[in-house]
């Protein structure tokens, strides 16, 4: 079987009874949709849930009229099949209007303007991470065209959403969002999603360079992997699905994903949904930010572009990062005061999960291929029948060759990818679950419980406090194991 797709597992497609668009009946009521989202542990596609959304008709031409003359930043990437991921730090950027993008996308070789240096046959363009609040700042009424309230989140609309517009080949490198879950509404064109479960993290060779506060990247180009350099990727369980207009994809917390546009123009809208687990995760991310910024700035103070993602616009000084860390810690304890039991239980659950991984990536258990079509729910709950019955069906497993063996979308017209069945406050600043609990987790839980009565000033974290944790013998032992393993691959 193909590398990274040996355990190609079906992605669930959620479509309730009576969900035909012509009947104007939505298959799930908001409270049921939210129940599904909060319990699912694998990706799912909701069908027939957005047919009455005004945003259903937001194609690129319509948006160019709404945003007439507005300058938008486009990321320009190469249409190539290198084994090296095309990170955002290696791309070029231009400011252009949607009208100029559409003209260039018609492959007019004699075009002038911002796209003039980019041959359409060799480059793709991506207007990604465009927050509604900035993009439509003088047209706030348009927020109501997006109705996430249909999925059980009252009052949530375009104000909490981002817009993505791309040409054929535009893609996001493989990464995971370390907190929150994701709802993605496909408006125009199709996108191909490659997803991997959280337990595959060791096989995806995670890295924090380039650094983005809300993303852990993979060192692998998952559509054209270098298996000599990254042999463990063979064990990864690839889930693939083509997202078509009118569908909404649910991406659970910590699922890795690589997303590529497979039609000439694609338009997507997404919203990251906050979760209870995010409070502790923000502390982890603040720690990561402080370390990365301190070490990389010391290494090369004049060239942050080499390691800092262009999406990161905040100052990276040590003083600012200390503020981030202390704000995250204070917020965590504030949350503990209001829901002490919930937070401590979440910490205990995460610790037990890490124990199962035995704190040693070298001994990571190989994930079995179950081929099950049952709904995956919380691991601490007894297995139950799917709540959707016959209306929750898996996408059929594919037998075609993987992209790495057929040259990707640039080795064909993109039709190979057709499915038979048819972001502090922007991108949740997803704090990454990279910190592994040590054997002293019970002591940590007790300290959290005792600190719930302390004032915020008593939770101040100094640089020395952080270093005391980072150079703890248990931590350095684990780091040494990871370094040795990495050098031996």
């Amino acid at each position: 079987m193909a590398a990274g797709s040996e355990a190609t597992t079906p992605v669930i497609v959620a479509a309730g009874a009576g969900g035909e668009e012509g009947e104007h009946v939505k298959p799930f009521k908001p409270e049921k949709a939210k129940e599904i989202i909060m319990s699912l542990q694998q990706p799912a596609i909701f069908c027939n849930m957005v047919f009455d959304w005004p945003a259903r008709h937001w194609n690129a031409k319509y948006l160019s009229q709404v945003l007439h003359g507005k300058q938008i930043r486009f990321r320009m990437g190469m249409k190539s099949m290198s084994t090296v991921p095309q990170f955002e730090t290696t791309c070029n950027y231009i400011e252009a209007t949607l009208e100029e993008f559409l003209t260039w996308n018609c492959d007019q070789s004699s075009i002038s303007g911002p796209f003039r240096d980019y041959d359409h046959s060799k480059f793709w363009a991506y207007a990604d991470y465009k927050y509604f609040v900035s993009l439509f700042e003088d047209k706030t009424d348009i927020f109501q065209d997006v109705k996430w309230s249909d999925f059980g989140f009252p009052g949530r609309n375009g104000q909490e959403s981002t817009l993505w517009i791309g040409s054929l080949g535009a893609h996001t490198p493989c990464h995971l969002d370390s907190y929150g879950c994701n709802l993605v509404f496909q408006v125009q064109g199709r996108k191909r999603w490659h997803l991997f479960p959280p337990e595959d993290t060791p096989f995806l060779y995670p890295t924090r360079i380039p650094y983005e506060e809300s993303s852990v990247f993979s060192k692998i180009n998952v559509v054209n992997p270098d298996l000599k350099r990254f042999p463990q990727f063979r064990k990864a369980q690839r889930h693939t699905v083509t997202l078509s207009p009118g569908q909404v994809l649910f991406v659970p917390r910590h699922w890795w994903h690589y997303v590529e546009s497979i039609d000439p123009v694609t338009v997507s809208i997404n919203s990251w949904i906050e979760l209870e687990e995010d409070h502790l995760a923000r502390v982890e991310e603040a720690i990561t930010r402080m370390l990365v910024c301190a070490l990389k700035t010391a290494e090369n103070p004049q060239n942050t572009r080499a390691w800092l993602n262009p999406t990161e616009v905040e100052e990276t000084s040590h003083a600012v990062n200390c503020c981030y860390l202390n704000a995250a810690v204070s917020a965590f304890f504030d949350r503990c005061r209001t829901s002490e039991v919930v937070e401590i239980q979440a910490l205990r659950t995460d610790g037990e999960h890490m124990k199962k991984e035995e704190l040693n990536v070298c001994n990571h258990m190989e994930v079995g291929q179950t081929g099950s079509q049952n709904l995956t729910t919380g691991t601490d709950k007894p297995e139950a029948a799917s709540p959707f019955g016959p209306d929750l069906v898996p996408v059929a497993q594919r037998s075609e060759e993987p992209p790495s063996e057929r040259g990707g979308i640039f080795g064909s017209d993109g039709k190979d990818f057709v499915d038979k069945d048819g972001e502090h406050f922007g991108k949740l600043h997803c704090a990454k679950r990279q910190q592994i609990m040590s054997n002293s987790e019970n002591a940590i839980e007790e300290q959290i419980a005792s600190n719930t009565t302390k004032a915020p000033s008593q939770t101040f974290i100094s640089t020395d406090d952080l270093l005391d944790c980072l150079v703890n013998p248990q931590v350095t032992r684990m780091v040494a194991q990871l370094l040795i393993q990495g050098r031996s691959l």
Side-chain angles (χ1 to χ4, degrees):
M1 288 198 178
S5 54
E6 304 170 350
T8 302
T9 309
V11 174
I12 290 175
V13 178
E20 291 300 322
E21 185 171 328
E23 297 179 19
H24 300 287
V25 175
K26 297 194 175 183
F28 305 112
K29 294 183 181 298
E31 56 272 18
K32 183 60 179 179
K34 184 174 183 179
E35 178 186 328
I36 293 170
I37 290 167
M38 301 309 286
S39 63
L40 270 178
Q41 298 297 311
Q42 68 179 95
I45 291 181
F46 287 92
C47 301
N48 307 312
M49 287 290 289
V50 297
F51 57 81
D52 60 344
W53 288 19
R56 179 73 171 80
H57 306 290
W58 281 20
N59 58 38
K61 184 175 181 180
Y62 169 79
L63 290 170
S64 71
Q65 297 170 354
V66 174
L67 298 169
H68 179 69
K70 187 177 183 66
Q71 294 287 305
I72 299 173
R73 193 185 200 196
F74 285 85
R75 176 159 58 99
M76 306 301 297
M78 292 288 295
K79 292 181 177 179
S80 65
M81 281 305 295
S82 169
T83 58
V84 179
Q86 200 164 169
F87 291 125
E88 292 161 66
T89 49
T90 63
C91 293
N92 293 327
Y93 294 83
I94 63 172
E95 299 287 331
T97 65
L98 277 180
E99 293 96 331
E100 290 170 326
F101 163 73
L102 291 173
T103 300
W104 170 80
N105 204 43
C106 291
D107 198 12
Q108 298 185 12
S109 56
S110 60
I111 189 176
S112 60
F115 288 96
R116 62 183 176 275
D117 296 328
Y118 299 94
D119 186 335
H120 183 268
S121 66
K122 298 178 180 179
F123 288 88
W124 48 258
Y126 208 4
D128 50 1
Y129 298 103
K130 304 308 175 190
Y131 301 113
F132 277 42
V133 291
S134 299
L135 198 61
F136 303 108
E137 53 188 344
D138 56 345
K139 301 178 177 65
T140 56
D141 289 348
I142 207 168
F143 293 169
Q144 305 305 319
D145 287 8
V146 178
K147 303 178 180 180
W148 297 116
S149 55
D150 284 351
F151 288 85
F153 302 97
R156 197 176 194 93
N157 54 40
Q159 188 171 3
E160 297 84 17
S161 304
T162 55
L163 183 69
W164 309 67
I165 304 173
S167 64
L168 178 67
H171 65 268
T172 304
C174 188
H175 69 284
L176 67 80
D177 301 321
S178 299
Y179 62 78
C181 59
N182 194 2
L183 289 174
V184 186
F185 167 34
Q186 192 62 27
V187 181
Q188 178 182 4
R190 294 165 302 142
K191 281 186 172 178
R192 183 72 164 181
W193 286 71
H194 301 253
L195 304 109
F196 303 85
E199 59 265 28
D200 280 358
T201 292
F203 310 144
L204 272 297
Y205 297 81
T207 179
R208 293 313 301 265
I209 305 298
Y211 175 75
E212 180 180 72
E213 187 174 353
S214 54
S215 300
V216 179
F217 290 101
S218 168
K219 296 178 183 179
I220 304 172
N221 180 353
V222 299
V223 296
N224 190 28
D226 183 344
L227 296 176
K228 291 183 178 179
R229 185 179 178 190
F230 306 111
Q232 294 296 311
F233 182 62
R234 296 179 185 274
K235 301 177 182 178
Q237 301 176 98
R238 186 193 302 265
H239 296 56
T240 55
V241 68
T242 298
L243 193 63
S244 299
Q247 296 178 333
V248 174
L249 175 66
F250 165 65
V251 182
R253 185 173 186 265
H254 285 186
W255 273 73
W256 292 85
H257 47 285
Y258 172 101
V259 190
E260 57 186 342
S261 298
I262 61 171
D263 278 330
V265 181
T266 62
V267 177
S268 308
I269 298 170
N270 87 297
S271 187
W272 284 278
I273 308 298
E274 302 86 352
L275 298 173
E276 278 294 326
E277 297 91 334
D278 297 346
H279 302 289
L280 178 61
R282 287 189 176 91
V283 178
E284 297 174 14
E285 183 59 30
I287 293 171
T288 302
R289 177 186 180 89
M290 179 177 286
L291 287 173
V292 171
C293 291
L295 294 175
K296 296 302 292 184
T297 300
E299 179 183 58
N300 191 346
Q302 306 302 323
N303 187 19
T304 59
R305 175 168 180 168
W307 58 270
L308 189 65
N309 223 40
T311 54
E312 288 297 308
V313 296
E314 293 88 354
E315 187 182 346
T316 58
S317 71
H318 187 69
V320 169
N321 290 338
C322 280
C323 291
Y324 266 81
L325 178 58
N326 282 280
V329 171
S330 294
F332 176 78
F333 284 125
D334 286 344
R335 183 64 181 177
C336 284
R337 293 185 188 97
T338 58
S339 57
E340 177 181 339
V341 175
V342 173
E343 286 296 343
I344 294 178
Q345 182 59 44
L347 183 59
R348 180 178 295 111
T349 301
D350 284 347
E352 290 171 355
H353 173 70
M354 289 304 181
K355 274 187 175 179
K356 290 177 183 177
E357 294 183 354
E358 299 181 341
L359 297 181
N360 189 342
V361 180
C362 297
N363 296 328
H364 181 84
M365 294 180 64
E366 199 169 325
V367 180
Q369 302 178 25
T370 63
S372 172
Q373 296 182 359
N374 290 335
L375 174 68
T376 304
T377 56
T379 55
D380 55 350
K381 294 181 180 179
E383 185 174 350
S386 166
F388 312 118
D391 296 312
L392 184 65
V393 295
V395 175
Q397 290 188 342
R398 286 170 177 75
S399 59
E400 78 246 83
E401 293 179 337
S404 59
E405 294 184 16
R406 65 167 176 259
I409 63 173
F410 301 117
S412 67
D413 60 2
K415 293 182 180 179
D416 293 352
F417 292 90
V418 177
D419 217 340
K420 284 185 178 181
D421 303 319
E423 276 152 345
H424 30 247
F425 302 117
K427 181 185 176 183
L428 286 191
H429 280 184
C430 306
K432 314 310 178 189
R433 291 286 185 188
Q434 291 190 321
Q435 207 179 17
I436 298 182
M437 293 298 175
S438 70
N439 292 333
S440 61
E441 64 187 86
N442 291 331
I444 295 175
E445 292 172 19
E446 292 171 4
Q447 182 176 354
I448 290 174
S450 64
N451 281 340
T452 57
T453 58
K454 293 183 179 181
S457 60
Q458 293 176 280
T459 65
F460 178 80
I461 304 297
S462 69
T463 302
D464 286 348
D465 292 331
L466 178 60
L467 287 174
D468 285 342
C469 296
L470 293 174
V471 298
N472 179 286
Q474 292 175 311
V475 175
T476 53
R477 186 179 305 117
M478 182 180 64
V479 173
Q481 289 177 340
L482 292 173
L483 283 174
I484 293 170
Q485 180 196 10
R487 297 296 294 178
S488 64
L489 293 177

